[in-house]
């Protein structure tokens, strides 16, 4: 089809993706509950990109790119909801992610549409890191139609040692019972 459509490239692309997990909800009584989840996800990429013009000229496939990589993530997340009274509510939680990637990528010589040649090279590496997040939000209903929610989210990524603090605020007003 790539030859017929006069495309520069064609590909063979396969992805295998799975997620497994458990969720546990714990009731604290009438005032609140916790929701804790554990999950493991992985994605396996295997794809190749070929040069259409090389195939037209020689009848043989020429790989431009071949990528084989595996991405993995293990996540633990805990969210807690506490109803103090009808006007006040507290939500807080933690999340930890362990992420990893293992890749083996080949890039063949390639001439772009201007005739410039890119040399062949291979990138093969394994990386891993962790992400930590915590959040807290307080919901206040000073009267039945108005809800105010200030909060904060803090996150840290070990790969680049980056920490972010994100203040949050929302306000909502119910115009009618139907909205």
């Amino acid at each position: 089809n790539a030859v017929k459509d006069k495309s520069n490239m064609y590909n063979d692309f396969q992805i295998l993706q799975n997620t497994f997990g458990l969720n546990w909800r714990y009731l604290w009584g009438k005032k609140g509950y916790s929701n804790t989840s554990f999950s493991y996800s992985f994605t396996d990429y295997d794809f190749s990109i070929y040069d259409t013009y090389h195939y037209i000229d020689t009848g043989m496939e020429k790989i431009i790119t071949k990528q084989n990589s595996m991405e993995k993530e293990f996540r633990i997340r805990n969210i807690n909801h506490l109803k103090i009274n009808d006007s006040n509510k507290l939500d807080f939680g933690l999340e930890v992610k362990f992420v990893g990637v293992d890749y083996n990528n080949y890039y063949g010589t390639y001439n772009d549409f201007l005739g410039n040649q890119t040399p062949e090279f291979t990138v093969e590496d394994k990386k891993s890191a962790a992400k930590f997040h915590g959040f807290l939000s307080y919901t206040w209903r000073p009267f039945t139609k108005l809800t105010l929610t200030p909060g904060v989210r803090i996150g840290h990524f070990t790969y680049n040692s980056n920490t972010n603090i994100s203040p949050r605020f929302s306000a909502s007003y119910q115009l009618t019972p139907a909205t």
Side-chain angles (χ1 to χ4, degrees), residues 124-161:
E124 189 172 353
D125 204 355
K126 291 183 181 186
K127 298 285 182 194
S128 62
K131 294 180 177 182
F132 303 96
H133 300 281
F135 75 91
L136 172 68
S137 66
Y138 169 70
T139 302
W140 177 46
R141 293 185 74 186
F143 51 93
T144 56
K145 293 187 177 209
L146 179 66
T147 303
L148 304 172
T149 308
V152 65
R153 179 177 171 89
I154 299 170
H156 180 75
F157 187 31
T158 62
Y159 183 74
N160 59 7
S161 297

Side-chain angles (χ1 to χ4, degrees), residues 25 44 57 59 70 72 80 103 135 140 162 165 167 179:
R25 182 175 290 175
D44 186 10
D57 293 342
M70 169 80 77
K72 298 172 259 185
N80 304 284
Y103 54 91
F135 75 91
W140 177 46
N162 191 11
I165 298 174
T179 59

Side-chain angles (χ1 to χ4, degrees), residues 17-21 38-43 73:
Q17 185 174 24
N18 283 296
T19 298
F20 307 96
F38 304 89
S39 66
Y40 175 75
S41 298
F42 73 88
T43 306
E73 176 183 284

Side-chain angles (χ1 to χ4, degrees), residues 11 20 29 65 72 74 98 108 116 151-152 157 166:
N11 62 44
F20 307 96
T65 300
K72 298 172 259 185
F74 177 72
F98 299 100
N116 300 314
V152 65
F157 187 31
S166 305

Side-chain angles (χ1 to χ4, degrees), residues 117-129:
Q117 189 175 61
T118 301
E120 160 185 313
F121 67 98
T122 301
V123 178
E124 189 172 353
D125 204 355
K126 291 183 181 186
K127 298 285 182 194
S128 62

Side-chain angles (χ1 to χ4, degrees), residues 22-143:
L22 286 169
N23 193 56
W24 176 50
R25 182 175 290 175
Y26 179 77
L27 300 176
W28 305 349
K30 295 180 180 181
K31 292 285 185 181
Y33 65 95
S34 294
N35 198 13
T36 303
S37 59
F38 304 89
S39 66
Y40 175 75
S41 298
F42 73 88
T43 306
D44 186 10
Y45 298 94
D46 187 9
F47 72 91
S48 300
I49 300 174
Y50 301 93
D51 184 330
T52 306
Y53 296 115
H54 183 76
Y55 181 78
I56 292 170
D57 293 342
T58 66
M60 298 171 55
E61 292 182 333
K62 178 182 176 190
I63 293 178
I64 296 171
T65 300
K66 179 160 183 59
Q67 296 189 9
N68 188 348
S69 64
M70 169 80 77
E71 296 176 1
K72 298 172 259 185
E73 176 183 284
F74 177 72
R75 178 189 296 200
I76 302 169
R77 186 174 192 197
N78 173 262
I79 301 174
N80 304 284
H81 307 275
L82 177 62
K83 182 179 177 182
I84 300 166
N85 56 40
D86 288 341
S87 300
N88 298 282
K89 187 173 76 169
L90 196 60
D91 295 312
F92 56 95
L94 298 169
E95 181 176 43
V96 179
K97 290 184 199 178
F98 299 100
V99 293
V101 65
D102 180 5
Y103 54 91
N104 183 354
N105 300 338
Y106 166 79
Y107 302 92
T109 58
Y110 176 72
N111 290 333
D112 65 17
F113 67 94
L114 296 174
N116 300 314
Q117 189 175 61
T118 301
E120 160 185 313
F121 67 98
T122 301
V123 178
E124 189 172 353
D125 204 355
K126 291 183 181 186
K127 298 285 182 194
S128 62
K131 294 180 177 182
F132 303 96
H133 300 281
F135 75 91
L136 172 68
S137 66
Y138 169 70
T139 302
W140 177 46
R141 293 185 74 186
F143 51 93

